[in-house]
Amino acid sequence: MDRGTEDVLGAVGPRLRALRHGRGITLADLAATTGISESTLSRLESGQRKATLELLLPLARTYDVPLDDLVGAPRTGDPRIHLKPVQRFGMTFVPLSRQPGGVHAFKMIIPARPEPPAPTPQTHEGFEWLYVLSGRLRLVLGERDLTLPPGEAAEFETSLPHWLGSSDGGAVELLVLFGLQGVRAHVRDDFRASSRGAP
């Protein structure tokens, strides 16, 4: 085995551990979802167990990331992102980024409704940034009730109660950047949902 291959394989364990910690997943949760024992997962993350396709495939499915991301392989071929829209809370989230961990970019579509729903603010850890592409966004943030037209942006700590909707019943399209906590709160139902194709 050449030195380059050894270096790539040696980085798999720390990458897997960082990905699991970043998602807030325990070894027990991961074992239950993948069918791989906790001891094997622990040895894989510490570098005591060699990464094999048999182990990496279920992990890639669970984390919903390309296999190349788990081994740190350089990107080759088609650079396009194959979008998989996710429906949540009556809205559509279209993933625009594919790197595991860190900040995730989404196009968010709020459909037109004759009677906009009443705000139901929520809180979670993290930070959000958004930019209105079209329509008029209603942003309820703590005690403030704001309307953002196309071209306006907002950023806020998500520990404040917040809610996004249409201000006039029309469709709204926006770009949103979520940290991992925001992805879990807005796009995923729970950890098991993350293994079924959410971004």
Side-chain angles (χ1 to χ4, degrees):
M1 185 183 301
D2 64 59
R3 181 61 184 270
T5 303
E6 285 182 9
D7 290 345
V8 167
L9 290 177
V12 171
R15 185 174 288 106
L16 290 173
R17 181 183 288 113
L19 185 56
R20 181 173 61 79
H21 288 173
R23 303 256 178 127
I25 300 168
T26 66
L27 280 173
D29 287 335
L30 194 56
T33 305
T34 61
I36 302 170
S37 72
E38 286 185 57
S39 62
T40 298
L41 290 168
S42 178
R43 285 188 288 126
L44 185 61
E45 289 185 359
S46 66
Q48 297 173 5
R49 175 73 184 258
K50 188 176 177 181
T52 64
L53 202 55
E54 192 175 58
L55 294 172
L56 293 177
L57 280 175
L59 289 169
R61 280 195 298 269
T62 296
Y63 290 131
D64 192 30
V65 297
L67 190 60
D68 285 354
D69 285 354
L70 295 186
V71 297
R75 296 251 177 229
T76 58
D78 191 347
R80 293 174 296 179
I81 297 171
H82 300 287
L83 309 178
K84 294 186 213 172
V86 177
Q87 302 289 326
R88 291 279 278 127
F89 308 115
M91 296 179 281
T92 301
F93 295 83
V94 183
L96 302 176
S97 57
R98 59 184 176 186
Q99 289 294 340
V103 175
H104 292 256
F106 292 87
K107 180 178 181 181
M108 182 174 162
I109 303 166
I110 302 171
R113 294 184 180 177
E115 295 183 18
T120 52
Q122 60 175 312
T123 62
H124 54 84
E125 293 179 17
F127 193 83
E128 282 179 31
W129 178 92
L130 57 85
Y131 177 85
V132 181
L133 296 170
S134 65
R136 295 177 63 80
L137 177 72
R138 181 181 180 191
L139 170 62
V140 176
L141 185 61
E143 299 297 317
R144 302 185 72 184
D145 196 332
L146 308 168
T147 298
L148 282 70
E152 283 203 350
E155 57 183 357
F156 53 91
E157 295 281 345
T158 53
S159 56
L160 278 172
H162 59 283
W163 177 86
L164 306 176
S166 172
S167 69
D168 57 12
V172 183
E173 294 188 6
L174 56 153
L175 295 178
V176 185
L177 299 181
F178 292 126
L180 285 175
Q181 299 94 336
V183 173
R184 284 196 292 268
H186 290 279
V187 184
R188 304 175 191 274
D189 285 315
D190 56 22
F191 167 65
R192 283 172 182 77
S194 72
S195 68
R196 296 196 297 267

